[in-house]
């Protein structure tokens, strides 16, 4: 999985006053969990642009001014309900020998015969939770729609891989090709025309 570097500084004070001052200065207060003890740090809001405002999934290298570096994944983010300004971010530290859970985006590949015939492709799950060692985390979960006729579905079991575990029930639908209203209307009209056609002589 691709990685993004976040440059920041450790926070000496974590009180409400210090946190408010950080936000007023254009920085985001953060906490890194998963290690021996939480690491409190901050980074400029702009540093999170390619991590937060993207449909893609990334791991993170937290590079602190003190010289410390940590590999991590984004665990939780708080944003202002009106302005969408980032208020706080929690990260979880990665270790090479310890599995981690994160959401990975689904990527559609191929061309569906059902769609070519007028069906509508519906992506039910844009992201799926995956558990794996950091080295085995995929950038995407590819859903090949080439076999999908109209009315067919792809389930999470079809995206399975030995390198990671998908944390959803086997009957979870990833995507499906639904019959469009236009195609359904055309089929109904064709059926009516066939029924109303001339009767064969006995």
């Amino acid at each position: 999985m691709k990685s993004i570097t976040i440059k920041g500084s450790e926070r000496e004070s974590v009180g409400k006053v210090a946190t408010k001052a950080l936000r007023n200065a254009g920085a985001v207060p953060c906490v890194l969990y998963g290690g021996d003890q939480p690491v409190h740090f901050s980074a400029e809001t702009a540093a999170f642009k390619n991590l937060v405002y993207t449909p893609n999934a990334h791991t993170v290298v937290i590079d602190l001014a003190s010289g410390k570096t940590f590999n991590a994944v984004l665990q939780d983010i708080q944003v202002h309900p009106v302005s969408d300004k980032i208020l706080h971010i929690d990260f979880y530290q990665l270790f090479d020998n310890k599995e981690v859970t994160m959401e990975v985006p689904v990527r559609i590949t191929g061309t569906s015969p059902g769609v070519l015939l007028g069906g509508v492709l519906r992506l039910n799950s844009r992201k799926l939770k995956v558990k794996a060692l950091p080295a085995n985390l995929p950038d995407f979960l590819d859903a090949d729609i080439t076999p999908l006729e109209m009315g067919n579905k792809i389930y999470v079991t079809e995206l399975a891989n030995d390198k990671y575990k998908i944390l959803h029930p086997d009957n979870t639908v990833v995507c499906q090709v639904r019959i469009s209203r236009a195609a359904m209307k055309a089929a109904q009209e064709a059926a009516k025309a066939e029924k109303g056609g001339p009767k064969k002589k006995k």
Side-chain angles (χ1 to χ4, degrees):
M1 179 174 285
K2 295 178 181 177
S3 182
I4 291 177
T5 298
I6 302 293
K7 293 184 178 293
S9 302
E10 287 190 69
R11 297 161 57 194
E12 295 181 1
S13 178
V14 295
K16 289 184 178 180
V17 175
T19 298
K20 185 176 181 179
L22 277 173
R23 290 175 182 146
N24 290 339
V28 177
C30 306
V31 183
L32 172 67
Y33 295 101
D36 295 332
Q37 57 184 14
V39 177
H40 297 266
F41 70 98
S42 65
E44 293 183 3
T45 303
F48 302 101
K49 179 181 178 181
N50 294 329
L51 176 65
V52 177
Y53 304 108
T54 174
N56 300 329
H58 298 90
T59 56
V60 179
V61 176
I62 298 172
D63 184 4
L64 301 180
S66 61
K68 299 176 183 177
T69 59
F70 304 91
N71 292 319
V73 291
L74 191 153
Q75 186 177 49
D76 187 45
I77 181 171
Q78 297 176 20
V79 297
H80 192 280
V82 177
S83 66
D84 283 338
K85 181 181 178 181
I86 301 173
L87 299 178
H88 185 90
I89 298 181
D90 287 339
F91 291 93
Y92 190 81
Q93 189 172 351
L94 294 179
F95 297 94
D96 292 341
N97 61 349
K98 187 176 181 181
E99 290 185 323
V100 65
T101 298
M102 71 179 299
E103 288 190 329
V104 176
V106 174
R107 180 171 63 181
I108 299 297
T109 63
T111 302
S112 163
V115 172
L116 294 177
L117 291 174
V120 178
L121 178 66
R122 180 179 178 185
L123 184 57
N124 298 56
S125 305
R126 295 186 179 278
K127 289 186 176 183
L128 294 171
K129 281 188 177 181
V130 168
K131 186 175 184 180
L133 292 173
N136 293 334
L137 287 170
D139 290 307
F140 300 95
L141 294 173
D142 286 328
D144 183 7
I145 63 172
T146 302
L148 292 189
E149 301 288 348
M150 207 174 295
N152 290 167
K153 301 175 181 178
I154 290 180
Y155 296 90
V156 290
T157 51
E158 298 172 63
L159 276 59
N161 190 295
D162 293 338
K163 293 184 177 180
Y164 51 78
K165 181 180 180 181
I166 300 176
L167 303 179
H168 294 268
D170 290 350
N171 62 350
T172 301
V173 176
V174 178
C175 61
Q176 59 184 312
V177 176
R178 304 183 68 177
I179 300 174
S180 66
R181 289 183 179 179
M184 189 178 295
K185 186 177 180 180
Q188 290 172 344
E189 290 177 352
K192 286 181 182 178
E194 187 177 343
K195 286 183 179 180
K199 295 181 179 179
K200 293 181 179 180
K201 293 181 179 180
K202 293 182 179 179

